[in-house]
Amino acid sequence: MNKLFIFALSFFLCVANGFSQPENIEIPSTSSISIIKEVVITGKVIDKETQEPLEYATIAFFSKKENKIVTGGITDANGDFSIPVKTGIYDISIEYIAFKTQKILNKKITTNENIGSFLLEIDAESLAEVEVIAERTTVEIKLDKKIYNVGKDLTVSGGTVSDVLDNVPSVSVDAEGNVALRGNDNVRILINGKPSGLVGLNSTDALKQLPAESIEKVEVITSPSARYEAEGTAGILNIILRRSKLLGLNGAITGNVGHPDAAGISGNINYRTGNVNFFNTTSYSYRESIGRWYNDVKYNDINTPDLDEKRDWVDIRKGFNTNAGVEWYINDSASLTTSVVYSNGGSDNNSVNNLVQFNKVNGTTSKSVRLDPEIEDRETIQYSLNFTKDFDKTDHKLTFDFQYEDSNEDDNSLINVDGTDTDLVTTLDNQTKVLLQSDYTLPIGEMSQVEIGFRGDFSDRSTDYTVELLNPNTGVFEINDDLSNLFNFKQHITAVYTQYGSKIEKFSYLLGLRLENTRTTLDQPTSGDFKKKNLTGLFPTANLNYELSDSESLSLGYNRRLRRPRGFMLNPFPSRSSLTNVFQGNPDLDPTYSDKFELGYLNRFGKFTLSTAVYYEHSTNVMSFVSRETGEIVIIDNEAFPVIQRGPVNLATDNRSGFEFNLNYSPTRKWRVNTDFNLFKLKREGEFNGIDLSSDALNWSVRLSNKLTLPYKIDWQTNMNYRGPSDDAQNNRKGRFSANMAFSKDLFKDNASIAFNVRDVLNSAIFKNHIITDTFTSDQEIQFRGGRTYNLSFTYRFNQQKQRERNRDFGGGDVDM
């Protein structure tokens, strides 16, 4: 694998060098040779209308001889700049957000010089766009996606990515950290448009470790084009990390403390000089999470005692993450970026399980206590290489990406029952991943383009699961061969795609087709089981858009997608959360295929932005988790209890139809309101072991975010979220309400901010579920955080004002994503 990485890096360095060679080489005569020295160019930049100095205006020196920007800088608080530059002839550009750029062409620089004051005037065409940035709402609505700006949400300061996602419209996070989009938990999570080592082996745990401050925004893509991988029937969540390309040195650092005990520090730094940009984002976090899981089981058989099980835990998580890289602008049209991601973290989970058994025959009760301390260590390293070539025509582009990732996760648990050590459980996970991807976009005429691409995802994972049980006769732990096993899982995916897009007056479309081949290998050396699967599928996509006016649009999208079983779903090893509850994967699972239609409407009128969508999804071979008795029993205090197993099966056919409504309202610059409402109906038809598990359930959720600037420029934000009750064949989930509140104040001329937030203000974020089967009923309660949490954070920015970079990804109605 190291040879593959070295070969790819060497090849693209050669290609990059080829693109950077000048077409003609001229040897200067002796008469044209001059002495090159460094001089200092000074000047001032002023707002023409207000006559105020413009801080952070950008000055760039472009050398035609070298065909690149060789140096530059930014203005200070007084609008002044002083930039060292070598003597020569340059095109000098003076830029500032929302202002017209001024240029001095063919400026000959031979000595120290003050080139004067520059009066920049407002650019009317971009003014509306920049006003949105300056007072950017937490949620930006586009026709093809929603963009959630993390920096504008005060309630997630000092939190994690899981906290961020739980505030994103259309997205929900359950008690165990599982993410769902419009109620569908098959969501593909990307970082900067690609799989990332920051997600790790267990995306749920990794998202709880990555700090919110490292994220710039989250894109919610419900109708992906053929460019995206077909995985994820619900759609895609693309997490964009913070990164700057401004000249000079700039960055920010954030520290936070909280209760229950939590502390962290994170920072991002960029240094761009000439044609090289260095960037780094690093964070360390420590947090304690208090939680509880209650399970009251009543068996229909009168001879089987009822079981009241209560598990309380304190989960201590520590994590270090860093992402460092170099971006080399080879010339004006080509760049090469290399980066390394390193993540090291773990958790110490101390769980206490209290079991109370009630004998219905004689009315007696018995109790036992099970301690399950679990220590988890994880480490991930990922190497990335990206090459981008822009050709002469706009949007004519070639990109290549290479990634290599190695992840390890070790879990160790020593289980104690009533003061006696009984089980020693060890799980050793190792996974390697390789990603190869190339995309080529070719414009055709003025309003059309074609795109083709290739992608290869190759992952190998091994899980060594060992259970050692105490032999009461010898007092020695012995390996249990019925529970211990080694599981090797390989999944190799190769894909090619093409898509064609065009715009005819107010109508635009993007049609695509993706071919994916999936080869999986399941190897169980312990049992001797070995299985291979080879599946090939076609995944068409179509996105249509019609502009009713400059502010009103209609869209229609169709895409076919699939859900592949994840490793833990295929792993046949039983994993015991308690003596009576076992989770076990199913190696015979097949993918779920979905066809999805979505009709969207977007309208910007006055101070409102309205976005609505009607969607329908038909899924076959649906994977679902079912609970059933295994036929095994365990003896607890001389009482026999059946073992309940929960695991995935290809159960049914789903028809999901829904309606989503999102409204942004900004009555003033100081007050912004965002609402999101999602209503969907899930009709399932299926059976398991002769039992009809069909269901017809209505689900809905609503959230409200209100942000107001108080006197003394104090920002106050409140987020409220309610998920309505829902039912399926075995589960009756209760409604859940949660509310978060935060205050923030900018300091030191907006170079710093202090924020205080309270999550779950009313201590109401409790997941409640009533489970009904043929043999038992169960009432469950899960409180992931264990109640109200508090966090105080402080951010300091150097050479970097809030939202000063122009975001060129505005507009709505672009069908291509």
Side-chain angles (χ1 to χ4, degrees):
M1 191 57 65
N2 290 332
K3 293 181 179 179
L4 177 61
F5 174 73
I6 294 171
F7 170 77
L9 178 61
S10 302
F11 174 75
F12 278 91
L13 283 173
C14 293
V15 173
N17 185 57
F19 278 119
S20 65
Q21 298 300 315
E23 295 182 1
N24 299 300
I25 301 177
E26 297 183 1
I27 301 177
S29 64
T30 56
S31 61
S32 65
I33 296 176
S34 60
I35 298 175
I36 298 176
K37 62 180 181 178
E38 188 173 86
V39 297
V40 177
I41 302 301
T42 59
K44 192 179 189 70
V45 182
I46 299 172
D47 184 335
K48 183 177 181 180
E49 180 179 352
T50 65
Q51 294 298 306
E52 294 287 333
L54 290 176
E55 185 181 8
Y56 296 114
T58 302
I59 296 87
F61 291 78
F62 178 83
S63 171
K64 291 184 178 178
K65 181 179 179 180
E66 299 183 44
N67 194 32
K68 65 181 182 181
I69 295 175
V70 295
T71 189
I74 58 175
T75 56
D76 60 19
N78 297 317
D80 297 321
F81 61 87
S82 178
I83 303 170
V85 60
K86 293 180 180 179
T87 56
I89 299 176
Y90 299 95
D91 289 345
I92 306 174
S93 63
I94 300 91
E95 301 183 18
Y96 192 78
I97 297 174
F99 287 74
K100 293 181 179 179
T101 299
Q102 287 193 21
K103 289 188 176 183
I104 303 175
L105 302 179
N106 299 315
K107 173 68 176 177
K108 187 175 183 179
I109 295 176
T110 58
T111 183
N112 295 340
E113 183 180 353
N114 186 317
I115 57 177
S117 296
F118 298 89
L119 303 176
L120 300 189
E121 57 182 325
I122 291 291
D123 185 351
E125 293 183 0
S126 64
L127 178 60
E129 172 181 306
V130 176
E131 284 180 340
V132 175
I133 297 175
E135 291 296 325
R136 183 182 292 184
T137 59
T138 305
V139 181
E140 298 171 35
I141 302 172
K142 296 187 178 183
L143 205 57
D144 55 1
K145 57 190 169 187
K146 293 185 181 71
I147 300 175
Y148 171 80
N149 294 293
V150 177
K152 283 294 182 179
D153 190 345
L154 310 179
T155 63
V156 299
S157 179
T160 67
V161 178
S162 288
D163 300 324
V164 170
L165 295 180
D166 202 26
N167 276 7
V168 175
S170 310
V171 179
S172 59
V173 181
D174 69 12
E176 297 176 346
N178 299 309
V179 181
L181 176 58
R182 291 175 173 171
N184 187 341
D185 62 357
N186 183 220
V187 185
R188 185 59 167 154
I189 298 177
L190 305 177
I191 294 184
N192 293 334
K194 305 178 191 68
S196 174
L198 293 173
V199 176
L201 282 171
N202 188 326
S203 60
T204 297
D205 289 338
L207 294 177
K208 296 174 186 175
Q209 182 174 294
L210 191 63
E213 282 76 17
S214 64
I215 304 172
E216 179 182 347
K217 59 186 177 182
V218 178
E219 297 178 340
V220 181
I221 307 170
T222 55
S223 185
S225 68
R227 179 190 303 175
Y228 291 96
E229 55 185 311
E231 174 70 34
T233 56
I236 292 173
L237 296 179
N238 186 24
I239 299 172
I240 308 297
L241 299 181
R242 294 187 183 279
R243 181 172 161 193
S244 171
K245 296 185 179 181
L246 294 175
L247 289 170
L249 179 69
N250 61 88
I253 186 168
T254 298
N256 69 277
V257 293
H259 175 77
D261 290 349
I265 185 169
S266 64
N268 64 85
I269 189 170
N270 285 75
Y271 177 66
R272 180 174 176 182
T273 174
N275 58 357
V276 179
N277 183 40
F278 301 90
F279 58 90
N280 176 254
T281 300
T282 298
S283 66
Y284 175 80
S285 64
Y286 172 93
R287 66 184 68 249
E288 293 185 4
S289 177
I290 301 172
R292 62 185 180 91
W293 177 83
Y294 294 170
N295 187 33
D296 185 9
V297 185
K298 291 182 171 53
Y299 295 93
N300 298 339
D301 184 359
I302 193 172
N303 295 312
T304 302
D306 293 337
L307 182 64
D308 185 17
E309 194 170 359
K310 296 182 179 180
R311 185 166 78 243
D312 297 275
W313 69 82
V314 177
D315 190 10
I316 301 174
R317 294 179 179 271
K318 303 175 184 178
F320 172 81
N321 296 279
T322 186
N323 178 16
V326 180
E327 187 170 10
W328 173 33
Y329 303 97
I330 304 168
N331 53 39
D332 274 357
S333 63
S335 66
L336 184 70
T337 304
T338 61
S339 64
V340 177
V341 171
Y342 178 74
S343 177
N344 187 304
S347 65
D348 187 353
N349 189 306
N350 293 295
S351 174
V352 179
N353 212 10
N354 290 280
L355 294 90
V356 178
Q357 303 94 39
F358 175 70
N359 190 310
K360 297 189 289 288
V361 176
N362 56 32
T364 60
T365 60
S366 58
K367 299 179 180 180
S368 63
V369 179
R370 183 175 188 262
L371 305 181
D372 188 2
E374 182 179 33
I375 299 175
E376 179 184 276
D377 296 299
R378 69 175 72 90
E379 183 180 48
T380 296
I381 188 166
Q382 181 188 81
Y383 306 95
S384 300
L385 175 72
N386 169 267
F387 173 76
T388 300
K389 169 64 179 176
D390 293 310
F391 297 92
D392 294 337
K393 292 183 179 180
T394 303
D395 296 329
H396 188 189
K397 179 183 292 188
L398 171 68
T399 63
F400 173 82
D401 290 280
F402 169 79
Q403 286 185 180
Y404 172 76
E405 176 187 322
D406 188 3
S407 299
N408 295 279
E409 185 175 301
D410 299 341
D411 295 327
N412 295 277
S413 179
L414 178 61
I415 299 173
N416 180 288
V417 178
D418 293 334
T420 302
D421 294 335
T422 59
D423 298 32
L424 183 60
V425 182
T426 303
T427 305
L428 304 178
D429 257 325
N430 175 260
Q431 179 173 266
T432 59
K433 285 185 177 182
V434 174
L435 168 69
L436 294 171
Q437 180 174 338
S438 184
D439 300 284
Y440 177 68
T441 303
L442 176 65
I444 300 175
E446 294 293 328
M447 305 300 292
S448 303
Q449 69 178 34
V450 65
E451 185 175 347
I452 59 174
F454 164 83
R455 178 178 174 127
D457 291 271
F458 311 99
S459 66
D460 294 355
R461 180 171 182 173
S462 66
T463 303
D464 190 352
Y465 183 79
T466 305
V467 178
E468 299 177 62
L469 302 180
L470 182 69
N471 187 324
N473 299 321
T474 63
V476 177
F477 282 97
E478 299 176 355
I479 294 178
N480 185 304
D481 293 328
D482 293 331
L483 299 176
S484 303
N485 211 323
L486 177 65
F487 180 60
N488 296 317
F489 174 62
K490 294 183 180 181
Q491 181 170 268
H492 294 177
I493 304 170
T494 53
V496 292
Y497 80 92
T498 183
Q499 58 186 15
Y500 177 79
S502 184
K503 185 174 183 180
I504 304 171
E505 295 182 351
K506 295 185 176 183
F507 176 73
S508 57
Y509 62 90
L510 181 65
L511 307 177
L513 183 64
R514 188 178 187 91
L515 173 70
E516 287 195 353
N517 173 259
T518 305
R519 289 171 294 153
T520 58
T521 302
L522 283 69
D523 181 19
Q524 303 170 22
T526 306
S527 63
D529 293 332
F530 185 86
K531 181 177 295 187
K532 282 189 173 183
K533 289 187 178 182
N534 192 330
L535 300 172
T536 301
L538 283 172
F539 302 91
T541 64
N543 288 288
L544 314 177
N545 176 47
Y546 183 74
E547 299 175 7
L548 300 172
S549 66
D550 291 340
S551 59
E552 190 177 12
S553 302
L554 278 173
S555 67
L556 178 63
Y558 163 77
N559 57 83
R560 184 172 191 252
R561 301 183 65 78
L562 86 162
R563 176 180 191 174
R564 297 182 182 91
R566 294 173 59 189
F568 83 95
M569 300 170 72
L570 296 167
N571 191 338
F573 311 151
S575 174
R576 298 189 297 179
S577 59
S578 71
L579 293 177
T580 59
N581 287 272
V582 174
F583 178 88
Q584 189 165 2
N586 177 4
D588 292 322
L589 278 180
D590 291 322
T592 296
Y593 292 91
S594 295
D595 293 276
K596 187 175 179 181
F597 300 85
E598 181 172 332
L599 176 64
Y601 173 73
L602 175 65
N603 192 0
R604 298 183 177 91
F605 53 99
K607 298 178 180 180
F608 293 88
T609 300
L610 171 67
S611 172
T612 62
V614 178
Y615 56 91
Y616 171 77
E617 180 181 351
H618 176 74
S619 303
T620 57
N621 222 23
V622 174
M623 291 175 280
S624 183
F625 294 93
V626 297
S627 299
R628 68 269 195 186
E629 291 189 16
T630 62
E632 301 176 6
I633 60 172
V634 293
I635 305 299
I636 303 176
D637 290 342
N638 298 320
E639 296 282 1
F641 293 91
V643 176
I644 299 174
Q645 177 181 306
R646 182 173 174 82
V649 295
N650 289 115
L651 176 68
T653 298
D654 281 358
N655 289 286
R656 182 189 301 263
S657 56
F659 168 75
E660 188 171 46
F661 174 90
N662 185 288
L663 183 66
N664 278 347
Y665 174 53
S666 300
T668 69
R669 285 177 175 267
K670 296 183 178 182
W671 185 22
R672 293 187 294 275
V673 182
N674 174 260
T675 62
D676 183 73
F677 175 76
N678 183 38
L679 173 72
F680 69 91
K681 183 177 183 180
L682 177 61
K683 185 175 182 180
R684 171 166 295 175
E685 297 177 356
E687 65 175 23
F688 179 71
N689 288 343
I691 302 173
D692 185 9
L693 295 178
S694 300
S695 62
D696 191 351
L698 187 68
N699 302 265
W700 62 279
S701 64
V702 61
R703 72 179 74 215
L704 171 68
S705 176
N706 185 75
K707 188 175 182 181
L708 180 66
T709 301
L710 302 173
Y712 304 103
K713 295 183 178 179
I714 298 174
D715 288 330
W716 170 33
Q717 181 177 330
T718 302
N719 291 351
M720 292 178 285
N721 180 21
Y722 180 74
R723 294 185 62 186
S726 63
D727 298 293
D728 59 31
Q730 289 189 333
N731 299 277
N732 178 8
R733 303 176 185 88
K734 310 302 180 183
R736 177 177 66 94
F737 175 81
S738 63
N740 307 320
M741 184 169 60
F743 297 90
S744 176
K745 168 69 176 166
D746 290 336
L747 305 170
F748 310 133
K749 297 182 179 180
D750 291 346
N751 287 316
S753 302
I754 187 169
F756 175 72
N757 67 60
V758 184
R759 297 186 61 83
D760 195 13
V761 176
L762 302 179
N763 194 24
S764 58
I766 303 173
F767 296 78
K768 298 181 180 180
N769 187 24
H770 181 63
I771 301 174
I772 303 174
T773 71
D774 287 345
T775 58
F776 69 91
T777 61
S778 173
D779 286 290
Q780 293 182 344
E781 282 192 12
I782 306 174
Q783 191 168 22
F784 182 68
R785 290 182 174 274
R788 202 175 291 109
T789 63
Y790 306 88
N791 190 273
L792 178 67
S793 65
F794 177 80
T795 300
Y796 181 77
R797 295 171 287 274
F798 53 95
N799 297 334
Q800 188 183 83
Q801 282 189 330
K802 292 169 58 178
Q803 304 293 344
R804 82 172 189 274
E805 292 183 79
R806 178 177 301 191
N807 185 337
R808 300 187 184 275
D809 192 26
F810 276 79
D814 288 343
V815 178
D816 188 6
M817 296 168 289

